[in-house]
Amino acid sequence: SQQGEEDPQALSIQEGENATMNCSYKTSINNLQWYRQNSGRGLVHLILIRSNEREKHSGRLRVTLDTSKKSSSLLITASRAADTASYFCATDTGGYQKVTFGTGTKLQVIP
Amino acid sequence: EAGVTQFPSHSVIEKGQTVTLRCDPISGHDNLYWYRRVMGKEIKFLLHFVKESKQDESGMPNNRFLAERTGGTYSTLKVQPAELEDSGVYFCASSQFTGGREQFFGPGTRLTVL
């Protein structure tokens, strides 16, 4: 079974709108990260939030983490066409434990 | 500073053939990871090197896959013989720290097995 599952699987919005993606996971984690993958490109690290943090900001990105609900959300404000990509959450349990990815949310921002 | 590079970017082979993928991590990164994304499914962990040693290879699908990292620099992932279900995108990542700290990913190698 998957550790991380993103919701929704696909999201289409108009440029300028906000996009919210959710991630749920099953086991206790050490860190949770969000990555972006543009079509045909590699994964780009967006933001890391530790298990003892509740919210983190980076530019137009806002990530929240609720360890009691085992969920995280990624908010992209004032979306741009260039934000069109697949977004993945990834969790780890610390130490040498591998990072586990979810299935991703495909975001389309329409100009 | 150069990022993680992977070669080739795309490989098309026939079932039963052998393919070798290469990953060059960021210089100085002891940790090197291989992941695979098959048919739009989740990105799955394959294995983790710390320098030249395999720290965790629990994600390797079967013994048709062989990963090496001689000298603790670049790594190769060989698939022999390739099967149809091996098609997908193979990502390599490196990190300076272990335990899930930011991993820097390469562009991936898209493998198509016909």
Side-chain angles (χ1 to χ4, degrees), chain B residues 71-89:
Chain B
T73 54
Y74 71 90
S75 174
T76 58
L77 179 64
K78 181 160 71 174
V79 185
Q80 178 183 32
E83 298 289 343
L84 299 178
E85 65 264 25
D86 300 333
S87 295
V89 181

Side-chain angles (χ1 to χ4, degrees), chain B residues 20-74:
Chain B
T20 300
L21 313 180
R22 172 171 171 144
C23 167
D24 286 77
I26 292 173
S27 178
H29 282 192
D30 288 341
N31 297 280
L32 188 149
Y33 308 81
W34 283 98
Y35 295 87
R36 177 175 74 168
R37 189 180 189 203
V38 174
M39 288 293 290
K41 295 186 178 178
E42 71 269 25
I43 300 167
K44 283 197 168 180
F45 167 85
L46 296 178
L47 87 159
H48 169 206
F49 283 100
V50 178
K51 297 186 181 178
E52 66 275 11
S53 300
K54 291 176 185 174
Q55 179 65 36
D56 180 354
E57 53 183 329
S58 61
M60 295 288 265
N62 51 61
N63 59 10
R64 294 185 293 103
F65 288 75
L66 175 65
E68 293 180 323
R69 192 183 182 196
T70 307
T73 54
Y74 71 90

